[in-house]
Amino acid sequence: MDTNKTPLPPLSMYTITAKLFTHIEKSVTSAFGTEGKKLLQNGVENFGYKDAYDIAQQATQEGEDHVLNNYIPGNFDSVNKYGDTTIYGLMAKLFAQVTKAVVDVYGEEGRNSIKEGVRTFGEERGKGIAQRAKHLGKPNTIDNYLSNYDMGRSDLFEYENIFKPEVIEQTFTQCPFGQQWADDNLHEYGILYCQMIDPAVAKGYNPRFEVEHDQYVLKEGVCHFNFKLKEIEND
């Protein structure tokens, strides 16, 4: 086995954002059909077509197969709304606007459809992380999870990892997604992402992964996790 392979580069946030929208679109339209599509369109419009276009174009250039382009009309106001907002902030804003459009109409059913989209998005990413480890000849154990993560951690994240036997304890004191939702007073929509994403990514990486997420930036001011994955004992 080749042990000298170079690690695969992380996915860009443009690709991740377009991928997230694609999973949400599938879940929402499965639940609500044509009306769901209209609400997603409203969400993208409220976010801003030029900013959505820029994200979609970059993701396409990077090779991502996504549906965000389908929600951008041929003619739109070609002005970016958010100045120097980072792509992390833009992803949070797009998610919140799309989620708000659906949840404000469909309530709990809408929340469930959004959460299902985040779940499938997370599981796909987790499977990709397992493939990244496999590319280096490594199994999908707890030791190879964070080291093969698919999203780069910018300086906008402040966190601590504590490694214990069969457990990773992780605490985030700064998160650009949570901060953006808090700044925009869109906590109730952003929290749907927070509740689903990490358990879903972990399960996609290894179905035996268990995740305790007992504190949230949007509630307690920090995100606290325990990622647990027991080694399989050989008989």
Side-chain angles (χ1 to χ4, degrees):
M1 182 178 294
D2 185 359
T3 59
N4 296 313
K5 288 186 176 179
T6 302
L8 298 174
L11 300 177
S12 84
M13 283 304 302
Y14 295 91
T15 286
I16 287 175
T17 301
K19 187 186 297 291
L20 172 61
F21 181 86
T22 299
H23 278 267
I24 289 174
E25 195 257 6
K26 182 177 181 180
S27 180
V28 169
T29 56
S30 176
F32 307 119
T34 302
E35 183 60 26
K37 283 183 175 289
K38 292 178 182 177
L39 294 174
L40 292 171
Q41 186 74 61
N42 292 342
V44 174
E45 182 178 11
N46 290 337
F47 168 70
Y49 285 136
K50 179 59 167 65
D51 295 280
Y53 174 84
D54 290 346
I55 293 169
Q57 289 300 298
Q58 184 62 36
T60 298
Q61 289 178 19
E62 293 170 1
E64 180 66 14
D65 184 16
H66 64 88
V67 300
L68 183 54
N69 275 320
N70 298 345
Y71 289 81
I72 301 170
N75 296 308
F76 55 85
D77 185 356
S78 60
V79 176
N80 295 99
K81 294 173 61 174
Y82 304 112
D84 58 357
T85 300
T86 69
I87 182 57
Y88 298 91
L90 292 175
M91 190 194 94
K93 284 177 175 291
L94 176 59
F95 176 82
Q97 289 300 330
V98 167
T99 298
K100 185 178 189 303
V102 174
V103 170
D104 285 1
V105 172
Y106 286 108
E108 192 61 27
E109 286 184 277
R111 291 184 187 90
N112 290 338
S113 72
I114 295 294
K115 290 168 75 172
E116 175 62 12
V118 176
R119 184 191 68 80
T120 60
F121 161 73
E123 288 194 358
E124 179 183 312
R125 285 181 53 199
K127 291 174 183 177
I129 295 169
Q131 287 299 313
R132 288 166 178 270
K134 185 177 181 180
H135 168 76
L136 298 176
K138 298 179 179 180
N140 59 335
T141 60
I142 194 168
D143 293 337
N144 298 316
Y145 182 54
L146 294 182
S147 60
N148 289 285
Y149 208 69
D150 63 339
M151 186 179 80
R153 296 294 193 199
S154 83
D155 292 340
L156 297 171
F157 293 91
E158 294 182 8
Y159 60 96
E160 179 185 30
N161 296 325
I162 300 175
F163 296 91
K164 307 173 184 178
E166 300 181 340
V167 177
I168 303 170
E169 182 180 2
Q170 191 174 59
T171 304
F172 284 83
T173 53
Q174 293 288 336
C175 170
F177 306 132
Q179 188 61 56
Q180 191 65 63
W181 292 319
D183 290 347
D184 294 343
N185 197 28
L186 294 171
H187 304 65
E188 67 174 295
Y189 307 108
I191 197 70
L192 302 180
Y193 182 87
C194 302
Q195 289 170 340
M196 298 301 296
I197 186 60
D198 288 281
V201 175
K203 286 289 185 184
Y205 175 76
N206 188 316
R208 294 186 297 107
F209 234 139
E210 297 179 4
V211 180
E212 295 176 357
H213 189 179
D214 55 6
Q215 291 179 295
Y216 294 85
V217 165
L218 287 173
K219 292 183 176 181
E220 290 84 10
V222 299
C223 267
H224 179 260
F225 303 89
N226 280 303
F227 295 86
K228 302 179 180 181
L229 182 57
K230 292 185 177 181
E231 299 294 333
I232 297 177
E233 296 182 2
N234 295 322
D235 294 332

